[in-house]
Amino acid sequence: MASLRDIKKRIDSTSKMKKITKAMEMVSASKMNKAEQNAKSFVPYSEKMQEVVASIAKHTDATHPMLQSREVKKVGYIAITADSGLAGAYNANILRKLNNTIQENHTSTDEYTVIAIGRMAVDFCKKRGLPVARSITGLPDQPSFANVKDLASETVQMFTDEEIDKLVIIYNHYVSAISQVVTTNQLLPIEAVDTTTGTSSQYEYEPSEEQILEVLLPQYAESLIYGALLDAKASEHAARMTAMRSASDNASDLIDGLTLSFNRARQAAITQEITEIIGGASALE
Amino acid sequence: MTSLGGVTLKTLTVSVVTPDGPVLEDTYEMVSLKAENGELGILPGHIPLVAPLAISAVRLKRDSGEEKLAINGGFLEVRPEKVTILAQSAEKPQDIDVNRAEAAKKRAEDRLQSKDDHIDRLRAELALRRATNRLDVAQTR
């Protein structure tokens, strides 16, 4: 049985650890609220964008490379992860999904490339030898559009330049504070524009539908990437909060157990002392 | 609708939306802005229109005065009583960081002047235009 001092030490270190995880939980909770708000304030932009794209797609027969599927020679995968761990299975889920998708669909590294967002994805690709076309790390907890603008437009440009023929994004979709779902979406070519949301009003296009699409579609694709990132950030903070909460709970359990054995050990020591004293006293009689 | 000296003036609702959230939503009498192929003035009752915007200032007019916004990379959607501007960034004069814009302008100018072939001229030019546009708008505050 561990000595009293050892148990005391473990109780102390565990409660210090619990303090830290508790603090991290609270920090993540407030970050998650902020991230959720960010994701919400992005909604009007994306909805409007969606509406205009849909109404153009509905009323005209103008075409654009981004709307047409072509023979797929190379696929780009955007993987959104966090920069650090301590977020439960958040990163592992994304990376497993990425790895499985690649193994199912591709046989050689020429057929795909990864656009890595977050240090975990970058490190994973480096370790596994996956080709990385673009990467970004050190994004702030509440990213603004300007933070990812360059990455998003370069990625969309890769599609325009026919460097990749399909663009898929893998990220954690935020359902609620305790539930995040790994989601895989095809971004380009734009497949299903929901034409039901388009307004019935017939627009005049200045200068022409084709040129509008030329400007609009890259912006649309970029905004989808940004939207996914906001969603992923909210999930990240939520995952971290949940992970830290269960760490705190585990610490409490551990402390309870240790306290119990501490008391038992103390009791045993006292009992032993008494027995010794009684033994000593009866020897004197 | 606002009334001025017994005459009823028509107004239109203008909303400016960026990926970072809505910037402005209010009623005005006229919007004038620069589309990619020329200036546009929009009054209430305009036909539905979609047009891409240049990096420029959007001027919003009403009887209490004129307001300006620095717009970058977006397009506009017009309906008879509503104008929606979707931009990658939109700033009011008071929100513009003048020092940052000046630094960006200087950086872009240096890049354009350098003889280095590796720089992306188009990107530097766009950066320069964004910076000058911000500075122009900021001056009107």
Side-chain angles (χ1 to χ4, degrees), chain A residues 12 23-24 31 37 64 68 75 82 85 110 113 123 125 149 159 171 184 190 205 221 234 246-247 252 265 282:
Chain A
D12 281 352
M24 283 166 91
K31 280 182 183 166
Q37 271 172 25
H64 188 275
Q68 288 166 328
V75 185
D110 299 330
T113 185
D123 289 350
C125 293
K149 171 93 183 49
F159 181 84
Y171 68 101
T184 314
I190 298 166
Y205 298 99
S246 59
S252 300
S282 58

PDB file of all heavy atoms in Angstrom, chain A residues 12 23-24 31 37 64 68 75 82 85 110 113 123 125 149 159 171 184 190 205 221 234 246-247 252 265 282:
ATOM      1  N   ASP A  12      -2.766  16.092  -4.440  1.00  0.00           N
ATOM      2  CA  ASP A  12      -2.424  17.485  -4.734  1.00  0.00           C
ATOM      3  C   ASP A  12      -2.225  17.710  -6.222  1.00  0.00           C
ATOM      4  O   ASP A  12      -2.778  18.643  -6.800  1.00  0.00           O
ATOM      5  CB  ASP A  12      -1.134  17.887  -4.000  1.00  0.00           C
ATOM      6  CG  ASP A  12      -1.425  18.199  -2.541  1.00  0.00           C
ATOM      7  OD1 ASP A  12      -2.627  18.242  -2.199  1.00  0.00           O
ATOM      8  OD2 ASP A  12      -0.471  18.385  -1.765  1.00  0.00           O
ATOM      9  N   ALA A  23     -10.259  25.344 -16.047  1.00  0.00           N
ATOM     10  CA  ALA A  23     -10.055  26.658 -16.658  1.00  0.00           C
ATOM     11  C   ALA A  23     -10.130  26.546 -18.171  1.00  0.00           C
ATOM     12  O   ALA A  23     -10.772  27.370 -18.846  1.00  0.00           O
ATOM     13  CB  ALA A  23      -8.701  27.221 -16.247  1.00  0.00           C
ATOM     14  N   MET A  24      -9.498  25.488 -18.729  1.00  0.00           N
ATOM     15  CA  MET A  24      -9.525  25.328 -20.177  1.00  0.00           C
ATOM     16  C   MET A  24     -10.937  25.096 -20.680  1.00  0.00           C
ATOM     17  O   MET A  24     -11.314  25.549 -21.760  1.00  0.00           O
ATOM     18  CB  MET A  24      -8.616  24.171 -20.596  1.00  0.00           C
ATOM     19  CG  MET A  24      -7.153  24.554 -20.554  1.00  0.00           C
ATOM     20  SD  MET A  24      -6.094  23.139 -20.655  1.00  0.00           S
ATOM     21  CE  MET A  24      -5.854  23.019 -22.391  1.00  0.00           C
ATOM     22  N   LYS A  31     -15.123  30.735 -25.972  1.00  0.00           N
ATOM     23  CA  LYS A  31     -14.712  30.791 -27.378  1.00  0.00           C
ATOM     24  C   LYS A  31     -15.768  30.166 -28.276  1.00  0.00           C
ATOM     25  O   LYS A  31     -15.992  30.613 -29.397  1.00  0.00           O
ATOM     26  CB  LYS A  31     -13.388  30.050 -27.572  1.00  0.00           C
ATOM     27  CG  LYS A  31     -12.185  30.877 -27.173  1.00  0.00           C
ATOM     28  CD  LYS A  31     -10.924  30.114 -27.436  1.00  0.00           C
ATOM     29  CE  LYS A  31      -9.719  30.895 -26.986  1.00  0.00           C
ATOM     30  NZ  LYS A  31      -8.532  30.024 -26.927  1.00  0.00           N
ATOM     31  N   GLN A  37     -21.496  32.592 -32.760  1.00  0.00           N
ATOM     32  CA  GLN A  37     -22.011  33.878 -33.259  1.00  0.00           C
ATOM     33  C   GLN A  37     -21.419  34.233 -34.605  1.00  0.00           C
ATOM     34  O   GLN A  37     -22.122  34.706 -35.500  1.00  0.00           O
ATOM     35  CB  GLN A  37     -21.656  34.996 -32.273  1.00  0.00           C
ATOM     36  CG  GLN A  37     -22.696  35.208 -31.205  1.00  0.00           C
ATOM     37  CD  GLN A  37     -22.201  36.172 -30.151  1.00  0.00           C
ATOM     38  OE1 GLN A  37     -21.338  37.008 -30.432  1.00  0.00           O
ATOM     39  NE2 GLN A  37     -22.716  36.044 -28.956  1.00  0.00           N
ATOM     40  N   HIS A  64     -20.406  27.652 -67.065  1.00  0.00           N
ATOM     41  CA  HIS A  64     -19.126  28.072 -66.523  1.00  0.00           C
ATOM     42  C   HIS A  64     -18.393  26.798 -66.126  1.00  0.00           C
ATOM     43  O   HIS A  64     -19.023  25.845 -65.679  1.00  0.00           O
ATOM     44  CB  HIS A  64     -19.375  28.973 -65.303  1.00  0.00           C
ATOM     45  CG  HIS A  64     -18.141  29.613 -64.776  1.00  0.00           C
ATOM     46  ND1 HIS A  64     -17.322  28.978 -63.882  1.00  0.00           N
ATOM     47  CD2 HIS A  64     -17.583  30.813 -65.028  1.00  0.00           C
ATOM     48  CE1 HIS A  64     -16.302  29.774 -63.611  1.00  0.00           C
ATOM     49  NE2 HIS A  64     -16.429  30.893 -64.292  1.00  0.00           N
ATOM     50  N   GLN A  68     -19.581  22.640 -64.434  1.00  0.00           N
ATOM     51  CA  GLN A  68     -19.557  21.411 -65.225  1.00  0.00           C
ATOM     52  C   GLN A  68     -18.540  20.415 -64.674  1.00  0.00           C
ATOM     53  O   GLN A  68     -17.398  20.790 -64.383  1.00  0.00           O
ATOM     54  CB  GLN A  68     -19.181  21.738 -66.669  1.00  0.00           C
ATOM     55  CG  GLN A  68     -20.306  22.443 -67.398  1.00  0.00           C
ATOM     56  CD  GLN A  68     -19.841  23.064 -68.685  1.00  0.00           C
ATOM     57  OE1 GLN A  68     -18.692  23.494 -68.811  1.00  0.00           O
ATOM     58  NE2 GLN A  68     -20.730  23.117 -69.644  1.00  0.00           N
ATOM     59  N   VAL A  75      -7.739  15.063 -57.509  1.00  0.00           N
ATOM     60  CA  VAL A  75      -8.728  15.582 -56.564  1.00  0.00           C
ATOM     61  C   VAL A  75      -8.000  16.374 -55.479  1.00  0.00           C
ATOM     62  O   VAL A  75      -6.935  15.974 -55.013  1.00  0.00           O
ATOM     63  CB  VAL A  75      -9.520  14.431 -55.904  1.00  0.00           C
ATOM     64  CG1 VAL A  75     -10.621  14.980 -55.016  1.00  0.00           C
ATOM     65  CG2 VAL A  75     -10.109  13.522 -56.959  1.00  0.00           C
ATOM     66  N   ALA A  82      -7.476  21.351 -36.063  1.00  0.00           N
ATOM     67  CA  ALA A  82      -7.046  22.384 -35.126  1.00  0.00           C
ATOM     68  C   ALA A  82      -5.520  22.473 -35.147  1.00  0.00           C
ATOM     69  O   ALA A  82      -4.853  21.654 -35.780  1.00  0.00           O
ATOM     70  CB  ALA A  82      -7.525  22.031 -33.734  1.00  0.00           C
ATOM     71  N   GLY A  85      -3.763  19.695 -29.955  1.00  0.00           N
ATOM     72  CA  GLY A  85      -4.589  18.568 -29.534  1.00  0.00           C
ATOM     73  C   GLY A  85      -5.479  18.961 -28.367  1.00  0.00           C
ATOM     74  O   GLY A  85      -5.988  20.082 -28.340  1.00  0.00           O
ATOM     75  N   ASP A 110      -0.221  10.748 -57.333  1.00  0.00           N
ATOM     76  CA  ASP A 110      -0.449  11.731 -58.401  1.00  0.00           C
ATOM     77  C   ASP A 110      -1.921  12.080 -58.538  1.00  0.00           C
ATOM     78  O   ASP A 110      -2.282  13.039 -59.211  1.00  0.00           O
ATOM     79  CB  ASP A 110       0.025  11.160 -59.750  1.00  0.00           C
ATOM     80  CG  ASP A 110       1.508  10.865 -59.710  1.00  0.00           C
ATOM     81  OD1 ASP A 110       2.210  11.568 -58.966  1.00  0.00           O
ATOM     82  OD2 ASP A 110       1.937   9.932 -60.421  1.00  0.00           O
ATOM     83  N   THR A 113      -4.252  15.673 -53.960  1.00  0.00           N
ATOM     84  CA  THR A 113      -3.392  16.563 -53.201  1.00  0.00           C
ATOM     85  C   THR A 113      -4.201  17.094 -52.028  1.00  0.00           C
ATOM     86  O   THR A 113      -5.429  17.105 -52.077  1.00  0.00           O
ATOM     87  CB  THR A 113      -2.844  17.700 -54.086  1.00  0.00           C
ATOM     88  OG1 THR A 113      -1.929  18.459 -53.325  1.00  0.00           O
ATOM     89  CG2 THR A 113      -3.952  18.606 -54.593  1.00  0.00           C
ATOM     90  N   ASP A 123       1.048  18.224 -40.061  1.00  0.00           N
ATOM     91  CA  ASP A 123       1.954  17.216 -39.503  1.00  0.00           C
ATOM     92  C   ASP A 123       1.596  15.815 -39.974  1.00  0.00           C
ATOM     93  O   ASP A 123       2.459  15.019 -40.310  1.00  0.00           O
ATOM     94  CB  ASP A 123       1.918  17.264 -37.965  1.00  0.00           C
ATOM     95  CG  ASP A 123       2.593  18.516 -37.446  1.00  0.00           C
ATOM     96  OD1 ASP A 123       3.233  19.207 -38.254  1.00  0.00           O
ATOM     97  OD2 ASP A 123       2.470  18.800 -36.244  1.00  0.00           O
ATOM     98  N   CYS A 125       0.092  14.909 -42.734  1.00  0.00           N
ATOM     99  CA  CYS A 125       0.449  14.700 -44.137  1.00  0.00           C
ATOM    100  C   CYS A 125       1.958  14.514 -44.282  1.00  0.00           C
ATOM    101  O   CYS A 125       2.419  13.699 -45.070  1.00  0.00           O
ATOM    102  CB  CYS A 125      -0.007  15.868 -44.992  1.00  0.00           C
ATOM    103  SG  CYS A 125      -1.777  15.971 -45.094  1.00  0.00           S
ATOM    104  N   LYS A 149      -8.683  34.315 -46.939  1.00  0.00           N
ATOM    105  CA  LYS A 149      -8.938  34.792 -48.307  1.00  0.00           C
ATOM    106  C   LYS A 149      -7.895  34.246 -49.279  1.00  0.00           C
ATOM    107  O   LYS A 149      -8.243  33.694 -50.329  1.00  0.00           O
ATOM    108  CB  LYS A 149      -8.934  36.319 -48.290  1.00  0.00           C
ATOM    109  CG  LYS A 149      -8.960  36.985 -49.640  1.00  0.00           C
ATOM    110  CD  LYS A 149     -10.371  37.282 -50.058  1.00  0.00           C
ATOM    111  CE  LYS A 149     -10.490  37.893 -51.429  1.00  0.00           C
ATOM    112  NZ  LYS A 149      -9.764  37.220 -52.484  1.00  0.00           N
ATOM    113  N   PHE A 159      -8.364  24.988 -59.204  1.00  0.00           N
ATOM    114  CA  PHE A 159      -9.421  24.338 -59.980  1.00  0.00           C
ATOM    115  C   PHE A 159      -9.559  25.009 -61.344  1.00  0.00           C
ATOM    116  O   PHE A 159      -9.686  24.358 -62.369  1.00  0.00           O
ATOM    117  CB  PHE A 159     -10.746  24.401 -59.218  1.00  0.00           C
ATOM    118  CG  PHE A 159     -11.884  23.737 -59.936  1.00  0.00           C
ATOM    119  CD1 PHE A 159     -12.079  22.373 -59.835  1.00  0.00           C
ATOM    120  CD2 PHE A 159     -12.750  24.478 -60.723  1.00  0.00           C
ATOM    121  CE1 PHE A 159     -13.115  21.758 -60.508  1.00  0.00           C
ATOM    122  CE2 PHE A 159     -13.790  23.866 -61.394  1.00  0.00           C
ATOM    123  CZ  PHE A 159     -13.977  22.497 -61.283  1.00  0.00           C
ATOM    124  N   TYR A 171     -14.539  18.411 -42.895  1.00  0.00           N
ATOM    125  CA  TYR A 171     -14.490  19.213 -41.671  1.00  0.00           C
ATOM    126  C   TYR A 171     -15.523  18.698 -40.677  1.00  0.00           C
ATOM    127  O   TYR A 171     -16.354  17.855 -41.011  1.00  0.00           O
ATOM    128  CB  TYR A 171     -14.748  20.689 -41.992  1.00  0.00           C
ATOM    129  CG  TYR A 171     -16.152  20.988 -42.454  1.00  0.00           C
ATOM    130  CD1 TYR A 171     -17.102  21.530 -41.582  1.00  0.00           C
ATOM    131  CD2 TYR A 171     -16.545  20.714 -43.755  1.00  0.00           C
ATOM    132  CE1 TYR A 171     -18.393  21.792 -41.998  1.00  0.00           C
ATOM    133  CE2 TYR A 171     -17.836  20.969 -44.175  1.00  0.00           C
ATOM    134  CZ  TYR A 171     -18.751  21.508 -43.300  1.00  0.00           C
ATOM    135  OH  TYR A 171     -20.033  21.755 -43.713  1.00  0.00           O
ATOM    136  N   THR A 184     -18.242  15.461 -45.264  1.00  0.00           N
ATOM    137  CA  THR A 184     -17.477  15.545 -46.504  1.00  0.00           C
ATOM    138  C   THR A 184     -18.359  16.191 -47.559  1.00  0.00           C
ATOM    139  O   THR A 184     -19.458  15.700 -47.823  1.00  0.00           O
ATOM    140  CB  THR A 184     -17.060  14.136 -46.969  1.00  0.00           C
ATOM    141  OG1 THR A 184     -16.554  13.440 -45.848  1.00  0.00           O
ATOM    142  CG2 THR A 184     -16.008  14.218 -48.041  1.00  0.00           C
ATOM    143  N   ILE A 190     -19.407  22.933 -58.713  1.00  0.00           N
ATOM    144  CA  ILE A 190     -20.611  23.156 -57.926  1.00  0.00           C
ATOM    145  C   ILE A 190     -21.713  22.275 -58.498  1.00  0.00           C
ATOM    146  O   ILE A 190     -22.096  22.431 -59.651  1.00  0.00           O
ATOM    147  CB  ILE A 190     -21.010  24.643 -57.958  1.00  0.00           C
ATOM    148  CG1 ILE A 190     -19.898  25.480 -57.327  1.00  0.00           C
ATOM    149  CG2 ILE A 190     -22.325  24.849 -57.230  1.00  0.00           C
ATOM    150  CD1 ILE A 190     -20.003  26.952 -57.592  1.00  0.00           C
ATOM    151  N   TYR A 205     -28.736  41.485 -66.297  1.00  0.00           N
ATOM    152  CA  TYR A 205     -27.351  41.240 -65.918  1.00  0.00           C
ATOM    153  C   TYR A 205     -26.429  42.226 -66.600  1.00  0.00           C
ATOM    154  O   TYR A 205     -26.489  42.416 -67.797  1.00  0.00           O
ATOM    155  CB  TYR A 205     -26.937  39.803 -66.234  1.00  0.00           C
ATOM    156  CG  TYR A 205     -27.758  38.822 -65.466  1.00  0.00           C
ATOM    157  CD1 TYR A 205     -28.834  38.175 -66.062  1.00  0.00           C
ATOM    158  CD2 TYR A 205     -27.496  38.580 -64.128  1.00  0.00           C
ATOM    159  CE1 TYR A 205     -29.622  37.298 -65.347  1.00  0.00           C
ATOM    160  CE2 TYR A 205     -28.278  37.699 -63.403  1.00  0.00           C
ATOM    161  CZ  TYR A 205     -29.334  37.060 -64.013  1.00  0.00           C
ATOM    162  OH  TYR A 205     -30.111  36.199 -63.304  1.00  0.00           O
ATOM    163  N   ALA A 221     -17.460  29.972 -54.148  1.00  0.00           N
ATOM    164  CA  ALA A 221     -16.645  28.851 -53.672  1.00  0.00           C
ATOM    165  C   ALA A 221     -15.805  29.265 -52.468  1.00  0.00           C
ATOM    166  O   ALA A 221     -15.697  28.534 -51.484  1.00  0.00           O
ATOM    167  CB  ALA A 221     -15.760  28.337 -54.797  1.00  0.00           C
ATOM    168  N   ALA A 234     -16.191  26.415 -34.557  1.00  0.00           N
ATOM    169  CA  ALA A 234     -17.190  26.254 -33.496  1.00  0.00           C
ATOM    170  C   ALA A 234     -17.125  24.824 -32.970  1.00  0.00           C
ATOM    171  O   ALA A 234     -17.148  24.599 -31.751  1.00  0.00           O
ATOM    172  CB  ALA A 234     -18.586  26.569 -34.022  1.00  0.00           C
ATOM    173  N   SER A 246     -14.717  16.265 -19.511  1.00  0.00           N
ATOM    174  CA  SER A 246     -14.577  14.882 -19.058  1.00  0.00           C
ATOM    175  C   SER A 246     -13.251  14.696 -18.344  1.00  0.00           C
ATOM    176  O   SER A 246     -13.164  13.885 -17.419  1.00  0.00           O
ATOM    177  CB  SER A 246     -14.768  13.885 -20.211  1.00  0.00           C
ATOM    178  OG  SER A 246     -13.851  14.123 -21.212  1.00  0.00           O
ATOM    179  N   ALA A 247     -12.228  15.474 -18.740  1.00  0.00           N
ATOM    180  CA  ALA A 247     -10.957  15.389 -18.003  1.00  0.00           C
ATOM    181  C   ALA A 247     -11.158  15.849 -16.565  1.00  0.00           C
ATOM    182  O   ALA A 247     -10.658  15.230 -15.619  1.00  0.00           O
ATOM    183  CB  ALA A 247      -9.897  16.238 -18.692  1.00  0.00           C
ATOM    184  N   SER A 252     -11.937  14.461 -10.794  1.00  0.00           N
ATOM    185  CA  SER A 252     -12.747  14.410  -9.564  1.00  0.00           C
ATOM    186  C   SER A 252     -12.873  12.983  -9.067  1.00  0.00           C
ATOM    187  O   SER A 252     -12.702  12.707  -7.870  1.00  0.00           O
ATOM    188  CB  SER A 252     -14.147  14.964  -9.829  1.00  0.00           C
ATOM    189  OG  SER A 252     -14.066  16.283 -10.266  1.00  0.00           O
ATOM    190  N   ALA A 265      -5.708   4.552   4.751  1.00  0.00           N
ATOM    191  CA  ALA A 265      -4.313   4.395   5.167  1.00  0.00           C
ATOM    192  C   ALA A 265      -4.078   5.093   6.513  1.00  0.00           C
ATOM    193  O   ALA A 265      -3.379   4.599   7.393  1.00  0.00           O
ATOM    194  CB  ALA A 265      -3.383   4.947   4.107  1.00  0.00           C
ATOM    195  N   SER A 282       0.407  -3.512  27.959  1.00  0.00           N
ATOM    196  CA  SER A 282       0.130  -4.820  28.565  1.00  0.00           C
ATOM    197  C   SER A 282       1.431  -5.561  28.873  1.00  0.00           C
ATOM    198  O   SER A 282       1.485  -6.391  29.785  1.00  0.00           O
ATOM    199  CB  SER A 282      -0.790  -5.646  27.660  1.00  0.00           C
ATOM    200  OG  SER A 282      -0.197  -5.798  26.391  1.00  0.00           O
TER     201      SER A 282
END
